[in-house]
Amino acid sequence: MDITITFTVNGKAATVTTDPQRPLLDILREDLQLTGTKYGCGEGFCGVCTVLMDGKRTLACITPAKDADKKAIVTIEGLADGDKLHPVQEAFLAEGAMQCGYCTPGMILTTVALLREHPQPTEAEILNWMDGNICRCNNYPNILNAVRRAVREARR
Amino acid sequence: MTTTRTEKPERGTKNAERGKPNEKQANLSSVASVSCFAESVTQRPVPETGNEMDRRGFIQLLGAGILVTVFEGIADAQRSSRSGGGSGGGRGRNVSARIHIGEDGVITVMTGKIEMGQGARAELTQSAAEELHVPPDSIRMVMGDTHLCPDDGTTAGSRTTPSTVPAVRQAAAAARMLLIGLACKQWGVAENSVEVRDGVITHPPSNRTVTFAELAKSGAAAKALDQPAPPGVSVTPVKEWKVMGTSYARPNRRDLVTGAHKFPSDLILPNMLHGKVLRPPSYGAKLLSIDLEPAKAMKDVVVLREGDFVGVAAPTTFQATQALKAIAETAKWESAPHPSSTEVYDYLRQRVRSKRDLENPFANEMGKAAKVLKQTYRTAYIQHAPAETRTALAEWKDGHLTVWTCTQAPFGYHSELGRAFQLPSERVRVIVPDFGCGFGGKHTAESAIEAARLARAAGRPVSVKWTREEEFTWAYFRPAAVIEIEAGLDEKGQIAVWHFININSGAAAVQTPYRIAHNNCRYVPSDTPLRQGSYRTLAATANNFARECMMDELAAAAGADPLDFRLAHLDNDRIRAVLEEAARQFDWRGRRKQKRAPGTGIGLACGTEKASVVAACVEISVDEAKNEIVVKKVTEVFEAGTVVNPENLRKQVIGCILMGLGGALREEMIFEGGKMLNASFGKYLVPRFKDVPELDIHLRNWPGMEPVGGGETPIIAIAPAIANAVFDATGRRIRQMPIKLSAAKPGQTT
């Protein structure tokens, strides 16, 4: 039995009638055509589907539609302010923290969430926080540099 | 080489959208640009180039300007052997449209290579910019579109740098010379009296200037441009490089951080359905019966059965998954016997195609050796696990099939689709937007064929995206290997006889780089129970693992240091230089003299493949209680001729080392009864942030040597260096990948 959920995505109101168990990832990609959020494993093991839900890091592939009701979602498309990139996006560009770029939106949103919950993370906190995200190009050193840069920038 | 001046499009003809080069690139690879091609597809005359797109089509898409076509040798080994169906992907022509110089100043360069994160887009852009003498940002690189691009062969074998970079440089240099010739003819001055910078030709004595764009507009130039280019166009010498040799970053990187880039799995067409395909419950299982009614009864669901192929398509992935589940529950299967992952090595050994090939032709010499060592090494089946799973969007229109997909072999897919649907070449088009990882794993067109079948049945575009479980189960694997080595040392501790057999996994790097008088190295095919195919350096990882581990065993048997023992057998200057530098950077000799802390060890390995050279030294620790090996530090030196893009090469080297850690320590497909038991990122553990050791990377530039590819070979030294370090730490030889402490008991050295 379908349900109707109402939520905001990148500040815009959205109403979707769908199966309550359907993943938020599919709703974002297929119904709202926000394809910056990627499918990687469907089980929450790789982090490429990371979005922010009420500001918290959330894996969209294992979040059923019913859990998104009345929530505020931010996807990679909602980070920049017009042409002005979010500081974390800038940090990833500055450090060349992408190769194929498929994991990049998830990495960036995971970093944004990190800075919200741990504004001044230790190196160990960074590693623990990021470890849920897989980069199959194995560009981890550059991504870590981008996260560290974003932390430095946030301190200013 | 010839050039052709394209005519201005007729009034009302829709031009390609104007905009910044990067925006144009996005348009070209996006669905929105499809309509631009429709007319040229249906009314196309016989193409005069290797590109499917005819001249008129180019004008329509790229706008008025000069189309530079180039004679290119079809003898290129990769092109003829790896592309689908014969030379040039079945085309058999050797003239390629390579560069378009627009009247708007946009320079378009076309290549059949693709971008999957390895850096080809940046490197080829640099190559064209260097030779054209234009800023790299003024170039739009169109990649992997079988309708527009020349067939540059599969993006594999590290061939982009040694094959496609020279092809693009030649075409760009020839185009520049033609433009110079045009300007000089107009001005009546000598060609050596002008300069070219940033797309502007200047004649300093008279202060005259003309831009490439203005020349492209010059109607009087048309006739001159029909003439063949002057022969023997030389490219820019390395010491004069301005753009090549720099760390030029990927041109479309901004779209990767904003989510704007459309990967193949992101494409959406109006009316599109999402497809799902029925998979057998186990390898080799045969479908006996299935009831399609439960899916047919569902709203908006298309169901297709063609022989053993059963698939569904629905407006959402969720609906398609539910529909598939409903009919899968009714399916009856007949299973087939299949070896388990523990039995598979004996299985492969027993099924070698030729038992005679296993025999050592130097058995007599072996009898004379002072010491003989005989060992067997094994490497497991592993998966590429690309970030983006197999995906394809197929659309049929007026008997023409267009597929947007992720593949390293656009022309191979083009041929496969043509065969699968009995379509002539010009009725199939494959478009490959920049996609998420390949590693040699995306050479076969299964998802494209699945999407095209479902789209044909549905009469609507269909996108098929494999799940991670499907990718882990039904994509092809890096082959498992059984490697048997027999080696004899003479009284001086030199290797006198070497007999090396790779069963099943391949011939890459099977030959030893070491000087050995009696040397027999051979790949012996077997009967694989799993689909197997290419992987980053293919068999070189397995062959180098076995060889470099055996070299350590022989060094120990000879009472020599592993470094000294290798150097004593190495004549190749490049390998010697790389190995010695790695040892120096790691302080190998100093560390060997020191007593290592308990549970820690150091190891080294080197190797060569695809004309590049690598050496690695590692420091590891072992935790016997946790049965764990931790790599603490990796020093790696890599050399691939002259470096085209240092930062990109560095990323490739790091990517290889860390990816190599996965195969070295953990990755292995586990199967039993025809079922894959670890088809999930939760069970198949690829490297993560916490696995990253201290990395000390050194890129050696070998000036004077043409650049060769660097995206694969840096992977081959890491696993043997770790295994050798485990011996140093524990005295145990572990002769398998993944290297697991549990594979050899403490005190077990032989």
Short mmCIF file of all heavy atoms in Angstrom, two decimals, chain A residues 19 29-30 35 38-40 43 45 76 83 89 93 96 98-100 102 128 130-132 134 136-138 140 142, chain B residues 116-117 250 254 257 262-263 265-266 316-318 384-385 387 439 467-468 647 651 655 658 680 682 687-690:
data_model
loop_
_atom_site.label_atom_id
_atom_site.label_comp_id
_atom_site.label_asym_id
_atom_site.label_seq_id
_atom_site.Cartn_x
_atom_site.Cartn_y
_atom_site.Cartn_z
N ASP A 19 5.72 3.31 -2.39
CA ASP A 19 5.78 2.20 -1.44
C ASP A 19 6.62 2.63 -0.23
O ASP A 19 7.69 3.19 -0.39
CB ASP A 19 6.43 0.99 -2.12
CG ASP A 19 6.33 -0.26 -1.27
OD1 ASP A 19 7.01 -0.33 -0.21
OD2 ASP A 19 5.56 -1.16 -1.66
N ARG A 29 16.74 9.69 -7.13
CA ARG A 29 17.30 9.52 -8.47
C ARG A 29 16.21 9.41 -9.54
O ARG A 29 16.33 10.00 -10.62
CB ARG A 29 18.20 8.27 -8.53
CG ARG A 29 19.51 8.44 -7.75
CD ARG A 29 20.34 7.15 -7.78
NE ARG A 29 20.56 6.68 -9.13
CZ ARG A 29 21.54 7.10 -9.92
NH1 ARG A 29 22.42 7.98 -9.46
NH2 ARG A 29 21.66 6.64 -11.14
N GLU A 30 15.16 8.64 -9.24
CA GLU A 30 14.19 8.33 -10.29
C GLU A 30 13.01 9.30 -10.30
O GLU A 30 12.56 9.70 -11.37
CB GLU A 30 13.70 6.89 -10.12
CG GLU A 30 14.83 5.88 -10.30
CD GLU A 30 14.42 4.44 -9.97
OE1 GLU A 30 13.21 4.18 -9.78
OE2 GLU A 30 15.33 3.58 -9.91
N THR A 35 20.41 12.86 -9.64
CA THR A 35 21.24 11.66 -9.84
C THR A 35 22.65 11.82 -9.28
O THR A 35 23.48 10.93 -9.47
CB THR A 35 21.31 11.30 -11.33
OG1 THR A 35 21.76 12.45 -12.04
CG2 THR A 35 19.94 10.87 -11.85
N LYS A 38 24.56 8.41 -5.63
CA LYS A 38 24.81 7.20 -6.44
C LYS A 38 24.37 5.92 -5.75
O LYS A 38 24.33 5.85 -4.52
CB LYS A 38 26.31 7.08 -6.78
CG LYS A 38 26.94 8.31 -7.39
CD LYS A 38 26.31 8.74 -8.69
CE LYS A 38 26.99 9.97 -9.24
NZ LYS A 38 26.18 10.62 -10.29
N TYR A 39 24.18 4.89 -6.55
CA TYR A 39 24.00 3.53 -6.06
C TYR A 39 25.37 2.85 -6.03
O TYR A 39 26.12 2.91 -7.02
CB TYR A 39 23.07 2.73 -6.98
CG TYR A 39 23.08 1.24 -6.68
CD1 TYR A 39 22.28 0.71 -5.68
CD2 TYR A 39 23.94 0.38 -7.37
CE1 TYR A 39 22.31 -0.65 -5.38
CE2 TYR A 39 23.99 -0.99 -7.08
CZ TYR A 39 23.17 -1.49 -6.08
OH TYR A 39 23.21 -2.83 -5.78
N GLY A 40 25.68 2.21 -4.92
CA GLY A 40 26.95 1.48 -4.88
C GLY A 40 26.78 0.04 -4.47
O GLY A 40 27.37 -0.85 -5.07
N GLU A 43 23.32 -1.85 0.38
CA GLU A 43 23.33 -2.44 1.72
C GLU A 43 23.97 -1.53 2.76
O GLU A 43 24.18 -1.95 3.90
CB GLU A 43 24.13 -3.76 1.69
CG GLU A 43 23.58 -4.81 0.76
CD GLU A 43 24.46 -6.06 0.78
OE1 GLU A 43 25.62 -5.99 0.31
OE2 GLU A 43 23.99 -7.09 1.28
N PHE A 45 27.09 -0.41 2.76
CA PHE A 45 28.49 -0.72 3.02
C PHE A 45 29.50 0.21 2.35
O PHE A 45 30.69 0.12 2.61
CB PHE A 45 28.82 -2.16 2.57
CG PHE A 45 28.24 -3.22 3.44
CD1 PHE A 45 27.40 -4.19 2.90
CD2 PHE A 45 28.52 -3.27 4.79
CE1 PHE A 45 26.86 -5.18 3.70
CE2 PHE A 45 27.98 -4.26 5.61
CZ PHE A 45 27.14 -5.21 5.06
N ILE A 76 24.02 16.27 -2.96
CA ILE A 76 25.18 16.98 -3.51
C ILE A 76 24.75 18.18 -4.36
O ILE A 76 25.43 19.21 -4.38
CB ILE A 76 26.08 16.00 -4.33
CG1 ILE A 76 27.43 16.63 -4.65
CG2 ILE A 76 25.38 15.54 -5.60
CD1 ILE A 76 28.35 16.79 -3.47
N ASP A 83 26.67 29.53 -8.16
CA ASP A 83 27.98 29.17 -8.73
C ASP A 83 29.05 29.03 -7.66
O ASP A 83 30.16 28.60 -7.94
CB ASP A 83 28.43 30.24 -9.74
CG ASP A 83 27.79 30.01 -11.09
OD1 ASP A 83 27.22 28.91 -11.29
OD2 ASP A 83 27.85 30.91 -11.94
N GLN A 89 33.43 21.19 -1.15
CA GLN A 89 33.60 20.95 -2.60
C GLN A 89 34.90 21.60 -3.09
O GLN A 89 35.65 21.00 -3.87
CB GLN A 89 32.40 21.51 -3.38
CG GLN A 89 31.11 20.74 -3.14
CD GLN A 89 29.89 21.42 -3.77
OE1 GLN A 89 29.69 22.63 -3.59
NE2 GLN A 89 29.09 20.65 -4.49
N LEU A 93 38.26 19.84 -4.82
CA LEU A 93 38.85 20.29 -6.09
C LEU A 93 40.32 20.63 -5.89
O LEU A 93 41.18 20.25 -6.67
CB LEU A 93 38.11 21.52 -6.61
CG LEU A 93 36.87 21.30 -7.47
CD1 LEU A 93 36.35 22.65 -7.95
CD2 LEU A 93 37.18 20.39 -8.66
N GLY A 96 42.54 17.63 -5.62
CA GLY A 96 42.42 16.61 -6.65
C GLY A 96 41.89 15.31 -6.08
O GLY A 96 42.36 14.23 -6.41
N MET A 98 39.57 13.30 -6.47
CA MET A 98 38.69 12.41 -7.22
C MET A 98 39.44 11.84 -8.41
O MET A 98 40.33 12.49 -8.97
CB MET A 98 37.42 13.13 -7.68
CG MET A 98 37.56 14.08 -8.86
SD MET A 98 38.55 15.55 -8.56
CE MET A 98 37.47 16.46 -7.49
N GLN A 99 39.09 10.61 -8.75
CA GLN A 99 39.60 10.05 -10.01
C GLN A 99 38.41 9.82 -10.93
O GLN A 99 38.08 10.66 -11.73
CB GLN A 99 40.44 8.80 -9.75
CG GLN A 99 41.82 9.20 -9.19
CD GLN A 99 42.77 8.04 -9.03
OE1 GLN A 99 42.73 7.06 -9.75
NE2 GLN A 99 43.66 8.16 -8.07
N CYS A 100 37.71 8.68 -10.76
CA CYS A 100 36.51 8.53 -11.60
C CYS A 100 35.41 9.45 -11.12
O CYS A 100 34.54 9.84 -11.90
CB CYS A 100 36.04 7.08 -11.65
SG CYS A 100 35.10 6.53 -10.21
N TYR A 102 32.98 8.83 -8.98
CA TYR A 102 31.70 8.22 -8.64
C TYR A 102 31.41 8.30 -7.14
O TYR A 102 30.29 8.50 -6.72
CB TYR A 102 31.70 6.76 -9.11
CG TYR A 102 30.34 6.12 -9.14
CD1 TYR A 102 29.48 6.34 -10.22
CD2 TYR A 102 29.91 5.28 -8.12
CE1 TYR A 102 28.22 5.74 -10.26
CE2 TYR A 102 28.67 4.67 -8.15
CZ TYR A 102 27.83 4.90 -9.22
OH TYR A 102 26.59 4.30 -9.27
N ASN A 128 37.97 7.23 11.40
CA ASN A 128 36.79 6.46 11.82
C ASN A 128 35.55 6.91 11.06
O ASN A 128 34.74 6.10 10.64
CB ASN A 128 36.55 6.64 13.32
CG ASN A 128 37.40 5.70 14.14
OD1 ASN A 128 37.76 4.61 13.67
ND2 ASN A 128 37.76 6.11 15.34
N MET A 130 35.30 8.51 8.12
CA MET A 130 35.33 8.32 6.66
C MET A 130 35.36 6.85 6.26
O MET A 130 35.12 6.51 5.10
CB MET A 130 36.56 9.02 6.04
CG MET A 130 36.66 10.53 6.24
SD MET A 130 35.26 11.47 5.63
CE MET A 130 35.33 11.18 3.86
N ASP A 131 35.67 5.97 7.21
CA ASP A 131 35.95 4.58 6.84
C ASP A 131 34.75 3.83 6.25
O ASP A 131 34.93 2.78 5.63
CB ASP A 131 36.50 3.81 8.06
CG ASP A 131 37.42 2.67 7.63
OD1 ASP A 131 38.32 2.93 6.81
OD2 ASP A 131 37.22 1.54 8.09
N GLY A 132 33.56 4.40 6.39
CA GLY A 132 32.39 3.74 5.80
C GLY A 132 32.25 4.00 4.31
O GLY A 132 31.39 3.43 3.65
N ILE A 134 33.73 3.90 0.51
CA ILE A 134 34.72 3.22 -0.33
C ILE A 134 35.05 4.07 -1.56
O ILE A 134 34.16 4.62 -2.20
CB ILE A 134 34.17 1.85 -0.78
CG1 ILE A 134 34.07 0.89 0.41
CG2 ILE A 134 35.05 1.23 -1.87
CD1 ILE A 134 33.38 -0.43 0.09
N ARG A 136 36.89 3.12 -4.97
CA ARG A 136 37.50 1.98 -5.65
C ARG A 136 38.72 2.39 -6.48
O ARG A 136 39.55 1.56 -6.82
CB ARG A 136 36.48 1.24 -6.52
CG ARG A 136 35.55 0.35 -5.74
CD ARG A 136 36.28 -0.72 -4.92
NE ARG A 136 36.84 -1.78 -5.76
CZ ARG A 136 38.00 -2.38 -5.53
NH1 ARG A 136 38.77 -2.00 -4.51
NH2 ARG A 136 38.41 -3.34 -6.32
N CYS A 137 38.84 3.69 -6.82
CA CYS A 137 40.09 4.14 -7.45
C CYS A 137 41.20 4.17 -6.40
O CYS A 137 42.36 4.36 -6.74
CB CYS A 137 39.92 5.53 -8.05
SG CYS A 137 38.69 5.62 -9.36
N ASN A 138 40.83 4.03 -5.14
CA ASN A 138 41.79 4.06 -4.03
C ASN A 138 42.55 5.37 -3.95
O ASN A 138 43.74 5.41 -3.73
CB ASN A 138 42.76 2.87 -4.12
CG ASN A 138 42.11 1.57 -3.70
OD1 ASN A 138 41.99 1.28 -2.53
ND2 ASN A 138 41.66 0.79 -4.68
N TYR A 140 42.38 7.38 -1.66
CA TYR A 140 42.20 7.75 -0.24
C TYR A 140 43.16 8.85 0.24
O TYR A 140 42.73 9.75 0.96
CB TYR A 140 42.33 6.51 0.65
CG TYR A 140 41.24 5.48 0.44
CD1 TYR A 140 41.54 4.20 -0.02
CD2 TYR A 140 39.91 5.79 0.68
CE1 TYR A 140 40.55 3.25 -0.21
CE2 TYR A 140 38.91 4.84 0.49
CZ TYR A 140 39.24 3.55 0.04
OH TYR A 140 38.25 2.63 -0.15
N ASN A 142 44.50 11.45 -1.26
CA ASN A 142 44.05 12.77 -1.69
C ASN A 142 42.74 13.16 -1.01
O ASN A 142 42.52 14.33 -0.68
CB ASN A 142 43.86 12.81 -3.22
CG ASN A 142 45.18 12.83 -3.96
OD1 ASN A 142 46.05 12.01 -3.70
ND2 ASN A 142 45.35 13.78 -4.86
N MET B 116 37.58 6.65 -17.28
CA MET B 116 36.94 5.94 -16.15
C MET B 116 37.66 6.26 -14.85
O MET B 116 37.60 5.48 -13.91
CB MET B 116 36.94 4.44 -16.43
CG MET B 116 38.32 3.88 -16.75
SD MET B 116 38.29 2.12 -17.17
CE MET B 116 39.92 1.95 -17.92
N GLY B 117 38.39 7.40 -14.87
CA GLY B 117 39.12 7.77 -13.66
C GLY B 117 40.62 7.62 -13.81
O GLY B 117 41.38 8.00 -12.93
N ARG B 250 41.94 17.01 -14.47
CA ARG B 250 40.83 16.53 -15.30
C ARG B 250 39.88 17.68 -15.65
O ARG B 250 39.38 18.37 -14.77
CB ARG B 250 40.08 15.43 -14.52
CG ARG B 250 38.96 14.82 -15.29
CD ARG B 250 38.47 13.58 -14.60
NE ARG B 250 37.18 13.20 -15.14
CZ ARG B 250 36.51 12.12 -14.79
NH1 ARG B 250 37.02 11.31 -13.89
NH2 ARG B 250 35.34 11.85 -15.32
N ARG B 254 34.98 19.80 -12.04
CA ARG B 254 33.99 20.56 -11.28
C ARG B 254 32.63 19.84 -11.27
O ARG B 254 31.93 19.82 -10.25
CB ARG B 254 33.84 21.97 -11.87
CG ARG B 254 32.99 22.90 -11.01
CD ARG B 254 32.78 24.26 -11.66
NE ARG B 254 31.66 24.94 -11.06
CZ ARG B 254 31.75 25.87 -10.11
NH1 ARG B 254 32.94 26.23 -9.68
NH2 ARG B 254 30.68 26.42 -9.60
N VAL B 257 32.32 17.29 -8.45
CA VAL B 257 32.07 17.70 -7.06
C VAL B 257 30.68 18.33 -6.88
O VAL B 257 30.22 18.49 -5.75
CB VAL B 257 33.15 18.67 -6.49
CG1 VAL B 257 34.52 18.02 -6.54
CG2 VAL B 257 33.13 20.01 -7.20
N LYS B 262 26.92 13.45 -15.58
CA LYS B 262 26.01 12.32 -15.76
C LYS B 262 26.82 11.07 -16.08
O LYS B 262 27.35 10.94 -17.19
CB LYS B 262 25.01 12.61 -16.89
CG LYS B 262 24.08 13.78 -16.61
CD LYS B 262 23.12 13.49 -15.46
CE LYS B 262 22.20 14.68 -15.19
NZ LYS B 262 21.58 14.60 -13.85
N PHE B 263 26.91 10.20 -15.10
CA PHE B 263 27.49 8.88 -15.34
C PHE B 263 26.47 8.07 -16.15
O PHE B 263 25.28 8.42 -16.17
CB PHE B 263 27.76 8.18 -14.00
CG PHE B 263 28.93 8.76 -13.24
CD1 PHE B 263 28.78 9.90 -12.46
CD2 PHE B 263 30.19 8.17 -13.32
CE1 PHE B 263 29.86 10.44 -11.76
CE2 PHE B 263 31.27 8.70 -12.62
CZ PHE B 263 31.11 9.84 -11.85
N SER B 265 24.91 5.47 -15.49
CA SER B 265 23.78 5.03 -14.67
C SER B 265 22.87 6.19 -14.27
O SER B 265 21.80 5.97 -13.71
CB SER B 265 24.28 4.31 -13.41
OG SER B 265 25.21 5.12 -12.71
N ASP B 266 23.29 7.42 -14.55
CA ASP B 266 22.49 8.60 -14.17
C ASP B 266 21.56 9.05 -15.29
O ASP B 266 20.73 9.94 -15.10
CB ASP B 266 23.41 9.79 -13.84
CG ASP B 266 24.27 9.53 -12.62
OD1 ASP B 266 23.88 8.69 -11.78
OD2 ASP B 266 25.35 10.15 -12.53
N THR B 316 9.77 2.07 -12.21
CA THR B 316 10.79 2.31 -11.18
C THR B 316 11.59 1.03 -10.94
O THR B 316 11.12 -0.07 -11.22
CB THR B 316 10.16 2.73 -9.82
OG1 THR B 316 9.48 1.60 -9.26
CG2 THR B 316 9.19 3.90 -9.96
N THR B 317 12.79 1.22 -10.41
CA THR B 317 13.64 0.08 -10.07
C THR B 317 12.93 -0.80 -9.03
O THR B 317 13.00 -2.03 -9.09
CB THR B 317 14.98 0.58 -9.50
OG1 THR B 317 15.61 1.37 -10.50
CG2 THR B 317 15.90 -0.57 -9.13
N PHE B 318 12.26 -0.16 -8.10
CA PHE B 318 11.57 -0.89 -7.03
C PHE B 318 10.49 -1.82 -7.61
O PHE B 318 10.41 -2.99 -7.25
CB PHE B 318 10.96 0.12 -6.04
CG PHE B 318 10.45 -0.50 -4.78
CD1 PHE B 318 11.33 -0.90 -3.78
CD2 PHE B 318 9.08 -0.69 -4.57
CE1 PHE B 318 10.86 -1.46 -2.60
CE2 PHE B 318 8.62 -1.26 -3.40
CZ PHE B 318 9.50 -1.63 -2.41
N HIS B 384 36.70 -7.14 -9.94
CA HIS B 384 37.14 -5.76 -10.13
C HIS B 384 36.41 -4.83 -9.15
O HIS B 384 36.97 -3.87 -8.70
CB HIS B 384 36.85 -5.31 -11.55
CG HIS B 384 37.33 -6.29 -12.58
ND1 HIS B 384 36.63 -7.43 -12.91
CD2 HIS B 384 38.44 -6.32 -13.35
CE1 HIS B 384 37.29 -8.11 -13.82
NE2 HIS B 384 38.40 -7.45 -14.11
N ALA B 385 35.14 -5.18 -8.87
CA ALA B 385 34.30 -4.36 -7.99
C ALA B 385 34.40 -2.88 -8.36
O ALA B 385 34.76 -2.05 -7.54
CB ALA B 385 34.68 -4.58 -6.53
N ALA B 387 33.40 0.96 -8.97
CA ALA B 387 32.48 1.80 -8.19
C ALA B 387 31.08 1.77 -8.81
O ALA B 387 30.09 1.58 -8.12
CB ALA B 387 33.01 3.23 -8.15
N PHE B 439 39.10 -1.08 -14.48
CA PHE B 439 40.15 -2.02 -14.05
C PHE B 439 40.22 -3.26 -14.93
O PHE B 439 40.60 -4.34 -14.47
CB PHE B 439 39.94 -2.45 -12.58
CG PHE B 439 39.68 -1.33 -11.63
CD1 PHE B 439 38.58 -1.36 -10.77
CD2 PHE B 439 40.53 -0.24 -11.56
CE1 PHE B 439 38.35 -0.33 -9.87
CE2 PHE B 439 40.30 0.80 -10.66
CZ PHE B 439 39.21 0.75 -9.83
N THR B 467 22.91 -4.85 -9.85
CA THR B 467 23.12 -4.66 -8.42
C THR B 467 24.55 -5.06 -8.08
O THR B 467 25.24 -5.70 -8.89
CB THR B 467 22.17 -5.55 -7.59
OG1 THR B 467 22.49 -6.92 -7.88
CG2 THR B 467 20.71 -5.27 -7.92
N ARG B 468 24.98 -4.70 -6.89
CA ARG B 468 26.34 -5.09 -6.47
C ARG B 468 26.46 -6.61 -6.44
O ARG B 468 27.47 -7.16 -6.84
CB ARG B 468 26.65 -4.48 -5.10
CG ARG B 468 28.03 -4.79 -4.56
CD ARG B 468 29.15 -4.34 -5.49
NE ARG B 468 29.11 -2.91 -5.74
CZ ARG B 468 29.91 -2.32 -6.64
NH1 ARG B 468 30.78 -3.00 -7.35
NH2 ARG B 468 29.82 -1.01 -6.83
N GLU B 647 51.00 14.35 -11.59
CA GLU B 647 49.99 14.15 -10.53
C GLU B 647 49.09 12.97 -10.89
O GLU B 647 48.75 12.15 -10.04
CB GLU B 647 49.16 15.43 -10.34
CG GLU B 647 48.07 15.33 -9.29
CD GLU B 647 48.55 14.94 -7.89
OE1 GLU B 647 49.74 15.14 -7.58
OE2 GLU B 647 47.73 14.40 -7.11
N LYS B 651 48.70 9.42 -8.82
CA LYS B 651 47.43 8.84 -8.38
C LYS B 651 47.29 7.40 -8.87
O LYS B 651 46.75 6.55 -8.17
CB LYS B 651 46.25 9.66 -8.94
CG LYS B 651 45.97 10.93 -8.18
CD LYS B 651 44.75 11.60 -8.78
CE LYS B 651 44.44 12.90 -8.08
NZ LYS B 651 43.44 13.68 -8.81
N GLY B 655 46.88 4.37 -6.47
CA GLY B 655 45.70 3.54 -6.69
C GLY B 655 46.06 2.08 -6.88
O GLY B 655 45.40 1.18 -6.36
N LEU B 658 47.29 0.55 -3.41
CA LEU B 658 46.21 0.30 -2.45
C LEU B 658 45.24 -0.75 -2.97
O LEU B 658 44.77 -1.61 -2.22
CB LEU B 658 45.49 1.61 -2.12
CG LEU B 658 46.37 2.69 -1.46
CD1 LEU B 658 45.56 3.94 -1.16
CD2 LEU B 658 47.02 2.17 -0.18
N SER B 680 29.18 -9.33 -1.70
CA SER B 680 28.73 -8.13 -1.00
C SER B 680 29.95 -7.40 -0.45
O SER B 680 30.93 -8.04 -0.05
CB SER B 680 27.82 -8.55 0.16
OG SER B 680 27.81 -7.57 1.18
N GLY B 682 30.04 -6.21 2.26
CA GLY B 682 30.10 -6.57 3.68
C GLY B 682 30.94 -7.82 3.92
O GLY B 682 31.41 -8.07 5.03
N PRO B 687 39.89 -2.48 0.03
CA PRO B 687 40.62 -1.52 0.88
C PRO B 687 39.78 -0.29 1.24
O PRO B 687 38.99 0.19 0.43
CB PRO B 687 41.82 -1.12 0.03
CG PRO B 687 42.02 -2.28 -0.90
CD PRO B 687 40.64 -2.78 -1.20
N ARG B 688 39.97 0.16 2.45
CA ARG B 688 39.28 1.36 2.94
C ARG B 688 40.31 2.34 3.52
O ARG B 688 41.49 2.04 3.55
CB ARG B 688 38.27 0.97 4.02
CG ARG B 688 37.05 0.24 3.47
CD ARG B 688 36.12 -0.19 4.59
NE ARG B 688 34.97 -0.90 4.06
CZ ARG B 688 33.78 -0.35 3.80
NH1 ARG B 688 33.59 0.93 4.05
NH2 ARG B 688 32.78 -1.07 3.31
N PHE B 689 39.81 3.47 4.00
CA PHE B 689 40.70 4.51 4.53
C PHE B 689 41.69 3.95 5.56
O PHE B 689 42.86 4.29 5.55
CB PHE B 689 39.87 5.62 5.20
CG PHE B 689 39.29 6.61 4.23
CD1 PHE B 689 37.98 6.51 3.80
CD2 PHE B 689 40.06 7.66 3.75
CE1 PHE B 689 37.43 7.43 2.91
CE2 PHE B 689 39.53 8.59 2.86
CZ PHE B 689 38.21 8.47 2.44
N LYS B 690 41.17 3.09 6.45
CA LYS B 690 42.02 2.64 7.55
C LYS B 690 43.12 1.67 7.09
O LYS B 690 44.02 1.36 7.86
CB LYS B 690 41.17 1.96 8.63
CG LYS B 690 40.40 2.96 9.48
CD LYS B 690 39.69 2.23 10.60
CE LYS B 690 38.86 3.20 11.42
NZ LYS B 690 38.01 2.49 12.37
#
